[in-house]
C-alpha cells in the first residue's frame, strides 16, 4: 500500500496517527522523497499536491481540508483527523480594516484562488485575486494587495505583520484521503486502516 504525506506542518501528526494505527512509516534520512517500509511505501509531497497524488493513483493520503477544497480533487474522504486544526480567513491591515461588502475592487493575495473567488462571489463583491505561493502576509504589508485569504492558526503571523482577521471563511482540519479505485481493489486493507484510525481518534477524544 502506498501513502502520500505532506512535508509541512501536518507531517509529524500524520506519521503519528498512522503509527498509532499500527502503520510504522519511517521518514527518509536524506533528501529522498520515496521510502519503502516493508509492505508500505511512503511518498513525501507538497501539501497542495497530496490530494492530486491520491486522485491519480496513490492509495492513501493525509491533507488539510483547505487544500482538498481548493484542489477540488476527486478523492474519498472517509475520516476527519484530530490535528491540523486551523482556519482559512480573510485578513487585512489593521489601520484600514473594512467589512467584506466594502471590498469591491480590492486586490486579494492568496494561495487559495478558488476558495477566495468563491467566497467573494457568494457575497456579490467583485475583487481581483492574485495567487502567491507563500509568505502571503507580505503582500498587503508592502502594498501589492489590499487583503489576504490565508491560514490562521495561532494568529501570530497576522499580528506580527499588523493584520487583523476580517472574517473566517472555513474551519480547517487534517483529512484522511483514499483513492477511489484503491477503495475497491484494496477494500479489506483500506477498510481495516480506516477502522483502526477511527479507534485511535475515539480513544483520544
Ligand atoms: C502558514 C500560513 C500563515 C501562518 C499562520 O504559513 O500561511 O502564514 O502559517 O500560522 P499562525 O497563525 O500560527 O501564525 P506557513 O508557515 O505554512 O508558510 P508559508 O507562509 O510559506 O505558507
Amino acid at each position: 500500500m502506498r501513502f502520500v504525506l505532506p512535508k509541512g506542518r501536518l507531517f509529524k501528526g500524520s506519521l503519528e496517527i498512522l503509527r498509532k494505527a499500527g502503520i510504522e512509516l519511517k521518514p527518509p534520512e536524506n533528501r529522498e522523497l520515496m521510502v519503502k517500509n516493508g509492505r508500505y511505501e511512503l511518498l513525501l509531497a507538497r501539501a497542495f499536491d497530496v490530494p492530486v497524488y491520491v486522485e491519480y493513483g496513490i492509495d492513501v493520503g493525509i491533507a488539510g481540508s483547505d487544500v482538498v477544497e481548493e484542489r477540488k480533487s476527486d478523492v474519498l474522504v472517509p475520516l476527519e483527523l484530530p490535528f491540523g486544526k486551523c482556519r482559512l480567513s480573510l485578513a487585512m491591515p489593521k489601520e484600514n480594516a473594512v467589512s467584506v461588502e466594502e471590498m469591491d475592487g480590492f486586490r486579494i493575495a492568496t494561495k487559495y484562488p478558488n476558495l477566495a473567488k468563491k467566497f467573494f462571489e457568494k457575497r456579490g463583491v467583485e475583487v481581483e485575486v492574485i495567487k502567491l505561493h507563500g509568505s502571503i502576509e507580505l503582500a498587503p504589508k508592502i502594498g501589492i494587495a489590499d487583503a489576504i485569504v490565508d491560514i490562521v492558526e495561532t494568529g501570530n503571523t497576522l499580528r506580527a505583520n499588523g493584520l487583523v482577521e476580517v472574517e473566517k471563511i472555513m474551519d480547517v482540519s487534517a483529512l484522511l484521503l483514499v483513492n477511489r479505485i484503491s477503495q475497491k481493489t484494496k477494500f479489506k486493507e483500506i477498510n481495516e486502516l480506516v477502522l483502526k484510525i477511527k479507534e485511535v481518534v475515539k480513544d483520544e477524544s
Side-chain angles (χ1 to χ4, degrees):
M1 192 144 71
R2 293 203 289 180
F3 293 84
V4 56
L5 300 183
K7 285 195 286 185
R9 58 173 67 211
L10 296 183
F11 187 59
K12 265 180 78 181
S14 303
L15 281 183
E16 197 165 306
I17 202 155
L18 290 171
R19 186 180 51 76
K20 287 180 183 160
I23 291 172
E24 193 85 39
L25 299 171
K26 277 194 211 76
E29 279 155 20
N30 47 25
R31 298 276 300 163
E32 263 179 314
L33 298 172
M34 237 170 105
V35 252
K36 233 180 149 69
N37 277 222
R39 306 193 291 125
Y40 307 122
E41 202 162 4
L42 168 62
L43 279 64
L44 301 182
R46 288 287 296 266
F48 269 77
D49 297 335
V50 168
V52 182
Y53 281 98
V54 176
E55 176 171 357
Y56 290 101
I58 303 306
D59 303 307
V60 176
I62 291 178
S65 51
D66 52 336
V67 302
V68 177
E69 292 270 323
E70 174 66 22
R71 288 292 215 163
K72 292 190 179 74
S73 299
D74 186 16
V75 295
L76 298 171
V77 183
L79 267 184
E80 186 179 307
L81 302 172
F83 60 96
K85 305 277 183 202
C86 53
R87 56 196 185 272
L88 184 73
S89 289
L90 172 64
M92 64 180 302
K94 203 165 49 195
E95 61 279 9
N96 36 23
V98 293
S99 70
V100 177
E101 279 65 31
E102 294 167 284
M103 292 191 179
D104 248 313
F106 270 32
R107 191 181 297 143
I108 313 292
T110 186
K111 279 189 276 190
Y112 304 85
N114 293 327
L115 295 179
K117 278 178 199 154
K118 199 167 123 195
F119 172 77
F120 282 101
E121 262 167 36
K122 260 199 187 148
R123 301 289 283 264
V125 177
E126 238 175 85
V127 295
E128 179 192 352
V129 172
I130 51 171
K131 178 167 177 170
L132 296 176
H133 287 87
S135 302
I136 310 299
E137 292 84 357
L138 192 58
K141 208 176 155 76
I142 52 119
I144 70 157
D146 303 294
I148 63 170
V149 166
D150 199 18
I151 291 298
V152 181
E153 191 177 350
T154 60
N156 287 341
T157 315
L158 290 187
R159 272 189 296 276
N161 290 287
L163 305 171
V164 286
E165 234 172 314
V166 176
E167 253 189 62
K168 178 176 83 179
I169 296 177
M170 69 180 276
D171 283 308
V172 174
S173 173
L175 302 175
L176 184 73
L177 314 180
V178 170
N179 173 270
R180 284 192 182 278
I181 312 271
S182 306
Q183 173 65 35
K184 292 187 184 131
T185 55
K186 299 180 183 170
F187 179 78
K188 196 166 163 277
E189 222 178 332
I190 284 176
N191 229 22
E192 273 170 17
L193 170 71
V194 173
L195 287 177
K196 273 193 207 147
I197 298 178
K198 247 187 201 160
E199 267 168 41
V200 174
V201 173
K202 214 173 92 193
D203 287 350
E204 285 186 355
S205 63

